[in-house]
């Protein structure tokens, strides 16, 4: 299977309402390219099967549909204890209008366009194999370039609204498409009235990689997915930016220090109560002092962690 780069023929939608002959002009959009046949059929099947098994394990009797952030907690992951962000099912309101998709996160988790302090799941061996194929095809610079992979499980009719990917990630964005040959992605901008105006459209065949780089990867350019003609799986590979990692380290450091201060306050209250001894037996006083010492030890641990994070930042 040779890898062929398509010089994308983007059909610009002519915004007229009349019955004109649809004389769209073909041109390429800077920053966007599609590489076809980047994975062979055998690897495609392996990746699809492994992700489908994992997805079914998360979904159990049909998947979650909670509206709250708690839906971002994995249900019963094969990899062990609950990991925040490992599995994120669509809210029921999205399901009803076929918006979005269920997601599995590997390496990093972004919620509401913010990188979260979570380590959802490590890359599986099949995802590593897909990375190697993308490198060989020229879609990625090297095997360990991507440190985040979001897997989207799309049902027939699913669509995504116009959006810009989180700037917590560097560019380019690399999307591996599996199963569907007819999926289309649109590119456009928002006009003065706040309406999304489609300017270009590409096809994302099965086993292809769509690479979105500057300028198309940044606002004012947005991209969206047209309703899926058939079921589809996508693997979106991205790399967390150094700035986002630093911001996350600062957030962790502040959380640790706040926890240390809370533990210190609690320890002081326990010591004060033990010292007064009012209404307490000797045994209860001993227990209070023991608790206070444990809290003080916790304070030191949290402060040490916070200081280590500060040095890494």
């Amino acid at each position: 299977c040779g890898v062929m780069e398509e010089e994308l023929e983007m059909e610009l939608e002519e915004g007229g309402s009349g019955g004109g002959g649809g004389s769209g002009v073909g041109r390429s959009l800077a920053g966007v390219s599609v590489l076809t046949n980047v994975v062979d059929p055998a690897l495609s099947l392996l990746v699809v099967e492994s992700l489908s098994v994992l997805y079914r394990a998360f979904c159990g009797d049909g998947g979650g549909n909670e509206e709250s952030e708690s839906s971002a907690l994995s249900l019963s992951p094969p990899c062990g204890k609950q990991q925040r962000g490992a599995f994120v099912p669509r809210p029921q309101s999205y399901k009803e209008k076929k918006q979005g998709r269920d997601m599995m996160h590997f390496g990093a988790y972004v919620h509401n366009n913010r990188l979260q302090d979570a380590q959802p799941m490590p890359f599986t061996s099949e995802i590593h194999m897909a990375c190697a194929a993308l490198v060989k095809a020229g879609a990625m610079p090297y095997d360990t370039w991507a440190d985040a992979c979001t897997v989207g499980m799309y049902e027939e009719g699913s669509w995504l609204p116009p959006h810009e990917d989180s700037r917590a990630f560097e560019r380019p964005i690399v999307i591996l498409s599996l199963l569907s040959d007819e999926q289309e992605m649109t590119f456009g901008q928002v006009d003065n009235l706040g309406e999304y105006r489609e300017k270009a459209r590409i096809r994302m065949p099965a086993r292809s990689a769509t690479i979105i780089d500057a300028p198309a990867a940044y606002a004012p350019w947005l991209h969206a997915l047209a309703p899926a003609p058939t079921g589809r799986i996508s693997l979106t590979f991205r790399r967390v930016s150094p700035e986002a990692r630093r911001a996350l380290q600062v957030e962790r450091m502040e959380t640790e220090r706040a926890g240390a201060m809370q533990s210190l306050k609690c320890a002081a209250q326990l010591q004060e109560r033990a010292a007064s001894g009012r209404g307490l037996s000797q045994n209860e006083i001993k227990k209070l002092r023991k608790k206070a010492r444990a809290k003080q030890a916790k304070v030191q641990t949290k402060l040490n962690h916070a200081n280590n994070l500060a040095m890494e930042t």
Side-chain angles (χ1 to χ4, degrees), residues 182-186 201-204 224-229 232:
E182 304 301 324
Q183 181 64 57
E184 293 181 324
M185 177 178 280
T186 69
R201 182 177 287 243
I202 64 169
R203 191 166 62 88
M204 307 166 75
L225 285 181
R232 172 175 174 264

Side-chain angles (χ1 to χ4, degrees), residues 258-269 271 295-296 299 303:
M261 293 304 102
Q262 184 61 35
S263 292
L264 191 61
K265 183 179 176 183
C266 187
Q269 289 171 343
Q271 284 177 328
K295 289 287 182 186
Q296 286 172 328
V299 168
L303 286 176

Side-chain angles (χ1 to χ4, degrees), residues 44 56 79 111 123 156 218 228 238 259 273 299:
S44 173
R56 286 194 296 270
C79 42
H111 178 69
F123 281 20
E156 183 178 337
Y218 293 106
R238 296 176 288 196
R273 204 172 152 208
V299 168

Side-chain angles (χ1 to χ4, degrees), residues 57-61 63-64 70-71 73-77 80 82-83 86-87 89:
F58 280 129
C59 286
D61 60 356
S70 64
S71 66
L73 293 175
S74 62
L75 306 179
S76 179
Q82 284 193 342
Q83 291 161 297
F87 175 59

